[in-house]
Amino acid sequence: QAQLVESGGGVVQPGGSLRLSCLTSGGIFSISHMAWYRQAPGRERELVATITPPGDGSKTNYAYSVQGRFTISRDNTKNMVYLQMSSLKPEDTAMYYCNTDPRPVTVDGVPYWGQGTQVTVSS
């Protein structure tokens, strides 16, 4: 059964840092391209960062808006995917989700998303 549990969000001042964690149920996630997405109120969900499987070198890619500030990583031995965020800006405020890339994992044909973790950047 697919499972994604995001954590690590919170309220932080501009310029601050947070580290998000995503615990997966292993299996398909261990061999998949993984990604962090975010969705701000009133906006569509957007792709933030991606990472290829270890067998493909764990290559990373980032949205232009977060390049140089965010770092995605994974530890398949722990079924974890991380997002280290620094130099946070108010526009980074959103609910953050991890999932497979380029499309979310499906369960019984329906896209499955975890509960997400809220990041709020405010002074």
Side-chain angles (χ1 to χ4, degrees):
Q1 182 77 5
Q3 188 171 20
L4 297 163
V5 181
E6 299 91 348
S7 62
V11 180
V12 63
Q13 292 187 340
S17 300
L18 282 174
R19 187 196 195 203
L20 306 185
S21 299
C22 173
L23 175 64
T24 81
S25 50
I28 188 66
F29 296 112
S30 299
I31 59 172
S32 295
H33 294 229
M34 294 296 294
W36 281 95
Y37 303 81
R38 68 185 180 187
Q39 186 168 21
R43 302 187 66 175
E44 291 190 356
R45 190 172 283 150
E46 63 173 343
L47 183 66
V48 174
T50 64
I51 187 166
T52 64
D56 191 28
S58 297
K59 301 183 184 72
T60 60
N61 200 13
Y62 300 92
Y64 179 79
S65 59
V66 306
Q67 280 182 1
R69 300 188 299 121
F70 290 12
T71 302
I72 187 172
S73 61
R74 66 193 297 168
D75 184 346
N76 274 13
T77 65
K78 298 179 181 178
N79 294 334
M80 296 293 292
V81 182
Y82 304 99
L83 186 69
Q84 178 67 48
M85 307 185 296
S86 60
S87 301
L88 282 162
K89 304 175 181 180
E91 51 263 44
D92 295 318
T93 295
M95 188 72 79
Y96 283 72
Y97 304 86
C98 70
N99 214 316
T100 50
D101 170 64
R103 287 172 296 278
V105 69
T106 59
V107 176
D108 296 329
V110 178
Y112 165 79
W113 293 90
Q115 85 287 351
T117 186
Q118 177 68 39
V119 172
T120 302
V121 184
S122 174
S123 55

